[in-house]
Amino acid sequence: MDAFGAIDTAGLFIAQQDGLFAKQGLTVKLRPQLLIQPQVDDLLQGKADIASGDYVTFIENQTGGDPDPGFNGRKPDLRIISESSFLQPNVLELVTTPRSPITSVAALKGKSVSVLGPKNVGDILVDSLLQTHGVPVAKVRFPDVPFPEIGHAFDQRRMDAAFAPEPFVTLLAQGGVQELADLDQGATENFPIQGLVTTGSWARSHPNTLRAFLTAYNQGQAIAATDRAAVERALETFLNLPPVVVALVSLPAFPQGVNPIRLQRTVSAMLQFGMLSQKYRGFDIRSMIGTGPA
């Protein structure tokens, strides 16, 4: 399966590292990924059975917002099989430099805020924060800056503030970059971040395999939610982070199962900020959960 390289994937890493999949009779091969869209493409091509990533990308694909031309317009029949994480304090932040004249979110009007790319969960969180502080999204520029390049981009004055997730928040703090605002607040408090998906056809064709996978995965999630030391070991192993960093990173929540009320918040936010066409204003996330209609 494709595994997104982020702290949100810790429960999956633990299930693999602790042999929980093997105890269910499964051989799971994790392929680390840095982007979400290629994982959806892998599902369609049969290169992966399950993938991890953010709900915005999954919903956009499901509603036809980003169909791959190579699939002749065929939309992926994605099914969310489990949550991976939802937001907690200090996990996703807006950061700036100590020398910056920007000392409040309201001061970002007419300025630039770097994001990883358009139409992702970071966009939702930043747009919501700006709106809460009375800053029109149209009055802010959003250059694309990869997370590892944020520090260098600040040095080049390519932006005034940056969206950053852990572990980059901790890594950047060591270089003097500081928090401007925590994104776990207001309308995006406890916001759903990442989950696992497969295709409806694979789920229906492999019910026993899926059941065994989720049993092991939920065990990994339970460990991630209660045993920080286990999370730190997994992040050191799978993300190659040094112990001094994993000891300091803030962690998201690691839920089990799927909470449709929580995930519907992503749909609502996508509609609110123009990431989803208004023709989908009645879209119910439950249509994407589990195996879906037979």
Side-chain angles (χ1 to χ4, degrees):
M1 70 164 288
D2 289 348
F4 188 55
I7 61 173
D8 308 80
T9 319
L12 179 66
F13 296 152
I14 290 170
Q16 181 79 323
Q17 184 169 266
D18 290 4
L20 302 179
F21 292 124
K23 290 178 182 177
Q24 294 295 322
L26 301 177
T27 300
V28 176
K29 297 179 180 179
L30 300 184
R31 297 186 303 189
Q33 301 288 340
L34 297 178
L35 298 172
I36 310 300
Q37 185 58 45
Q39 296 188 55
V40 177
D41 298 341
D42 283 351
L43 290 176
L44 282 179
Q45 293 175 321
K47 295 179 180 179
D49 300 317
I50 298 171
S52 65
D54 73 273
Y55 303 109
V56 174
T57 301
F58 298 148
I59 293 168
E60 184 183 19
N61 276 266
Q62 185 76 358
T63 56
D66 191 11
D68 191 298
F71 302 124
N72 299 317
R74 178 165 54 95
K75 297 179 183 179
D77 181 24
L78 298 180
R79 293 292 178 263
I80 300 169
I81 56 174
S82 186
E83 294 187 58
S84 295
S85 64
F86 63 83
L87 197 52
Q88 294 289 275
N90 307 313
V91 174
L92 300 176
E93 294 187 353
L94 212 57
V95 298
T96 188
T97 61
R99 64 181 181 275
S100 172
I102 305 296
T103 58
S104 69
V105 176
L108 288 171
K109 183 176 180 180
K111 304 299 182 180
S112 60
V113 178
S114 71
V115 292
L116 185 58
K119 294 186 177 181
N120 59 40
V121 68
D123 272 4
I124 285 178
L125 299 172
V126 172
D127 288 356
S128 178
L129 181 72
L130 292 172
Q131 183 181 75
T132 298
H133 288 266
V135 180
V137 174
K139 298 295 184 180
V140 177
R141 300 184 300 277
F142 297 97
D144 298 341
V145 177
F147 299 136
E149 298 179 15
I150 288 176
H152 183 59
F154 272 134
D155 291 338
Q156 295 180 323
R157 299 184 179 180
R158 290 163 56 188
M159 70 285 196
D160 299 289
F163 165 70
E166 285 284 28
F168 296 100
V169 171
T170 295
L171 290 168
L172 289 165
Q174 295 176 351
V177 174
Q178 63 187 21
E179 175 187 309
L180 178 64
D182 184 1
L183 294 168
D184 180 48
Q185 60 173 284
T188 57
E189 185 176 5
N190 297 331
F191 199 80
I193 303 299
Q194 291 188 19
L196 301 185
V197 293
T198 186
T199 61
S201 59
W202 189 90
R204 291 188 291 271
S205 299
H206 302 83
N208 294 332
T209 300
L210 180 55
R211 189 177 303 111
F213 177 90
L214 289 177
T215 296
Y217 178 71
N218 285 332
Q219 291 170 352
Q221 286 287 95
I223 293 171
T226 57
D227 187 346
R228 176 162 183 123
V231 174
E232 293 184 8
R233 288 193 298 272
L235 297 183
E236 287 179 36
T237 301
F238 289 90
L239 299 186
N240 296 314
L241 293 174
V244 67
V245 172
V246 297
L248 296 174
V249 296
S250 298
L251 299 176
F254 299 102
Q256 297 180 47
V258 184
N259 183 327
I261 296 175
R262 180 160 52 228
L263 298 195
Q264 190 68 32
R265 295 175 64 192
T266 303
V267 176
S268 299
M270 291 177 71
L271 288 164
Q272 179 182 358
F273 296 112
M275 298 179 194
L276 193 60
S277 169
Q278 287 300 311
K279 71 179 181 180
Y280 291 106
R281 59 185 177 275
F283 184 78
D284 191 334
I285 196 66
R286 289 176 294 182
S287 66
M288 287 184 66
I289 293 176
T291 58

